[in-house]
Amino acid sequence: MSNKCDLSKEEKEWVICHLLYQAPPGEFYRVFEDLCILVQDDDLMRQEAAQVCAHHNKNNFTLVRIKGTNVLVTRYNDVGGNSFFDPKNKFSFKFDHLSGISNKFQLHRVAWDETELWRTALNSALKAYVNSHFPSGDCSVFRKKLKNRQIIVVCIVGHQYKQLGFWNCPWKGEWTFSQIPVITQVTGAIHMQVHYFKDANLHMTICKTVEETLHVIDPAQLAIDFVKLIKTEDNKFHIAMLENFQALTNEIWRKILQRQLPVTRTVINWNKLLTNQSMKANISSCEVPLSVLKCTV
């Protein structure tokens, strides 16, 4: 009797998209390549993966290296047709999400108005902050128009992808506020994911939302206050994350996670796992570095 189980095209499409949407940051192309081997239909894989990959790249603020500079691929600078705009260098480019190839560069003229002045000041201050605390990250400030209001959107991304060390860790910050004089409402969200896959397959996803107000007087003052706000919230988030991680004592891990593996029928040695050097994290009385990307997870 044959063990072969043939799926319909619709079932294959559902499985492909479902698995690709679950791919952790930094591992999308590995999942894609493995699925290509299993499905053995390159045309179907590329057809189904193209849209999912575009969503993956924009959602995770993928860094693209173009002419010696980093550009973020996000939904905020998506100008349609897989083209994206770099507000710093004032050019657009077409990006193939699956191959990672950029082409069709085109310069744009941007009016140097009040909003662009505020955006530039914020971008400069934010760039200095990110360079100091995210060794493998970058940022970008975008301007959007919503119901006749000028909206400033700040995107921060950092990551450590250690495939050979069996772990990946992306960090993402997303902040928005209106360019309203005197006082503006700032809304932010910080996301962090950890995927550890050496002695076990562990995923940890943490998200924190922030709502604060800032005084809007001039570009220089706003840039200083905004970076100070992000620094404070990043530190709070980082310290809380480390404290919660250390709260997972050996007893808790044993009670919740200890189980027999389905094939070998042996129990995972969580004590050995927890003492693995790659899983240690320390908290000191000093100020904790602003990104988990500088600690060992």
Side-chain angles (χ1 to χ4, degrees):
M1 183 175 70
S2 174
N3 292 326
K4 183 178 179 181
C5 180
D6 291 326
L7 299 177
S8 66
K9 182 180 178 181
E10 290 74 18
E11 289 173 325
K12 285 183 179 180
E13 291 173 352
W14 185 89
V15 171
I16 292 169
C17 291
H18 188 69
L19 291 175
L20 288 175
Y21 271 119
Q22 295 183 70
E27 300 172 42
F28 183 91
Y29 296 103
R30 284 189 170 221
V31 175
F32 174 76
E33 290 171 357
D34 290 343
L35 282 173
C36 284
I37 297 173
L38 294 173
V39 175
Q40 295 185 349
D41 188 337
D42 289 346
D43 291 337
L44 178 62
M45 279 299 304
R46 292 191 174 277
Q47 174 187 333
E48 296 303 317
Q51 184 175 353
V52 182
C53 187
H55 174 271
H56 179 90
N57 286 335
K58 289 186 285 187
N59 185 60
N60 291 291
F61 301 165
T62 298
L63 281 172
V64 180
R65 190 72 175 172
I66 299 177
K67 298 181 178 180
T69 185
N70 288 331
V71 181
L72 299 190
V73 170
T74 77
R75 65 181 180 275
Y76 299 112
N77 61 331
D78 186 350
V79 294
N82 289 330
S83 292
F84 298 86
F85 177 68
D86 176 19
K88 179 181 178 181
N89 298 295
K90 309 297 188 293
F91 70 84
S92 64
F93 61 96
K94 197 173 185 66
F95 182 63
D96 188 307
H97 292 279
L98 281 178
S99 68
I101 296 175
S102 305
N103 54 26
K104 296 185 179 180
F105 305 101
Q106 183 178 352
L107 290 174
H108 292 260
R109 295 185 63 183
V110 177
W112 189 260
D113 55 12
E114 183 180 3
T115 303
E116 184 61 19
L117 182 64
W118 291 78
R119 192 205 67 79
T120 302
L122 277 169
N123 195 88
S124 298
L126 195 66
K127 183 72 174 176
Y129 166 77
V130 171
N131 288 344
S132 297
H133 301 286
F134 293 80
S136 300
D138 214 318
C139 62
S140 194
V141 180
F142 305 107
R143 49 185 291 185
K144 307 293 289 184
K145 196 168 184 178
L146 180 64
K147 296 181 180 179
N148 296 323
R149 291 190 305 160
Q150 289 290 341
I151 305 296
I152 299 295
V153 181
V154 173
C155 296
I156 301 173
V157 65
H159 59 76
Q160 284 283 17
Y161 295 149
K162 300 291 186 181
Q163 300 285 355
L164 297 179
F166 303 101
W167 64 271
N168 289 313
C169 181
W171 173 295
K172 182 179 72 171
E174 186 173 347
W175 304 82
T176 60
F177 60 89
S178 301
Q179 188 188 334
I180 301 175
V182 186
I183 295 179
T184 187
Q185 182 79 21
V186 179
T187 302
I190 305 171
H191 301 263
M192 191 203 72
Q193 288 180 268
V194 176
H195 183 207
Y196 176 78
F197 47 96
K198 183 178 182 181
D199 298 305
N201 186 20
L202 303 179
H203 291 259
M204 181 171 67
T205 301
I206 307 172
C207 179
K208 176 187 177 181
T209 57
V210 179
E211 289 189 1
E212 287 289 346
T213 57
L214 284 180
H215 291 280
V216 181
I217 301 174
D218 60 73
Q221 165 268 328
L222 177 63
I224 294 172
D225 291 345
F226 182 73
V227 170
K228 186 182 297 184
L229 168 64
I230 292 181
K231 179 179 179 179
T232 299
E233 295 300 331
D234 279 354
N235 262 320
K236 288 179 182 178
F237 179 78
H238 190 200
I239 293 171
M241 182 273 299
L242 291 178
E243 289 175 342
N244 288 330
F245 185 78
Q246 289 190 334
L248 292 174
T249 63
N250 292 351
E251 181 180 359
I252 294 174
W253 280 65
R254 283 197 300 268
K255 286 182 178 179
I256 297 176
L257 298 174
Q258 187 173 21
R259 64 189 65 182
Q260 290 186 339
L261 297 175
V263 177
T264 63
R265 309 306 299 170
T266 58
V267 177
I268 295 175
N269 187 343
W270 291 109
N271 287 328
K272 180 180 178 182
L273 172 61
L274 288 172
T275 56
N276 190 304
Q277 290 299 317
S278 64
M279 292 291 288
K280 288 183 177 178
N282 297 316
I283 301 177
S284 67
S285 58
C286 304
E287 181 182 18
V288 176
L290 299 181
S291 167
V292 71
L293 310 179
K294 282 197 171 182
C295 76
T296 302
V297 178

